């Protein structure tokens, strides 16, 4: 069950807006993601090391298509949804792994606040 909806915009300045999102531990978040740029962008959720590894793979295989639950890849002008449950407190990263975008700073953080 979705407990929070967060609208995220992606654009060709290689930034997510917002790039810092705060949620509470245990929440199921629906990210409503919009690509307002003229390039393909995506939002991939994962740990920093997973994202870095994936970004390097994308440099080698730029046309790699994704069909995994932790990401949404969007053509220019398109919108999509990504639903993710934040089970542990701490920081979860997200990034766009289109070739060069991560390196240009297209990334953000979800801060997951622990239960009191
Ligand atoms: Cu991008």
């Amino acid at each position: 069950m979705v407990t929070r909806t967060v609208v995220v915009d992606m654009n060709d300045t290689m930034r997510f807006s917002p790039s810092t999102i705060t949620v509470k531990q245990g929440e199921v978040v629906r990210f409503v993601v919009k690509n307002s740029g003229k390039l393909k962008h995506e939002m991939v959720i994962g740990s920093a090391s997973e994202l870095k590894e994936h970004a390097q793979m994308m440099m080698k295989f730029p046309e790699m298509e994704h069909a995994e639950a932790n990401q949404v890849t969007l053509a220019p002008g398109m919108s999509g949804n990504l639903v993710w449950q934040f089970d542990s407190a701490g920081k979860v990263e997200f990034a766009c792994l289109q070739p060069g975008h991560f390196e240009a700073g297209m990334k953000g953080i979800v801060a997951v606040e622990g239960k009191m």
Side-chain angles (χ1 to χ4, degrees):
M1 191 183 60
V2 173
T3 54
R4 186 190 294 265
T5 300
V6 177
V7 177
V8 179
D9 185 75
M10 308 189 289
N11 62 61
D12 296 344
T13 61
M14 304 300 169
R15 292 294 180 272
F16 288 97
S17 174
S19 61
T20 306
I21 296 161
T22 304
V23 305
K24 292 194 169 58
Q25 185 177 1
E27 278 196 305
V28 179
V29 179
R30 180 196 306 279
F31 295 95
V32 178
V33 188
K34 167 120 211 285
N35 181 356
S36 3
K38 294 188 162 56
L39 302 168
K40 195 199 261 187
H41 291 290
E42 63 193 355
M43 181 177 182
V44 186
I45 296 180
S47 70
S49 58
E50 281 165 2
L51 291 173
K52 216 164 258 169
E53 199 173 295
H54 195 155
Q56 280 161 6
M57 186 137 75
M58 289 292 285
M59 291 297 252
K60 286 185 205 154
F61 306 104
E63 294 310 314
M64 197 165 96
E65 290 295 334
H66 300 113
E68 289 165 51
N70 68 328
Q71 58 186 73
V72 56
T73 304
L74 296 171
M78 300 300 286
S79 296
N81 284 291
L82 180 57
V83 176
W84 191 262
Q85 178 157 23
F86 293 92
D87 289 324
S88 345
K91 285 195 169 118
V92 177
E93 318 224 1
F94 59 92
C96 175
L97 302 181
Q98 289 297 305
H101 295 202
F102 178 76
E103 292 74 9
M106 195 163 181
K107 53 192 161 186
I109 283 177
V110 180
V112 185
E113 292 178 337
K115 292 186 178 129
M116 292 298 154

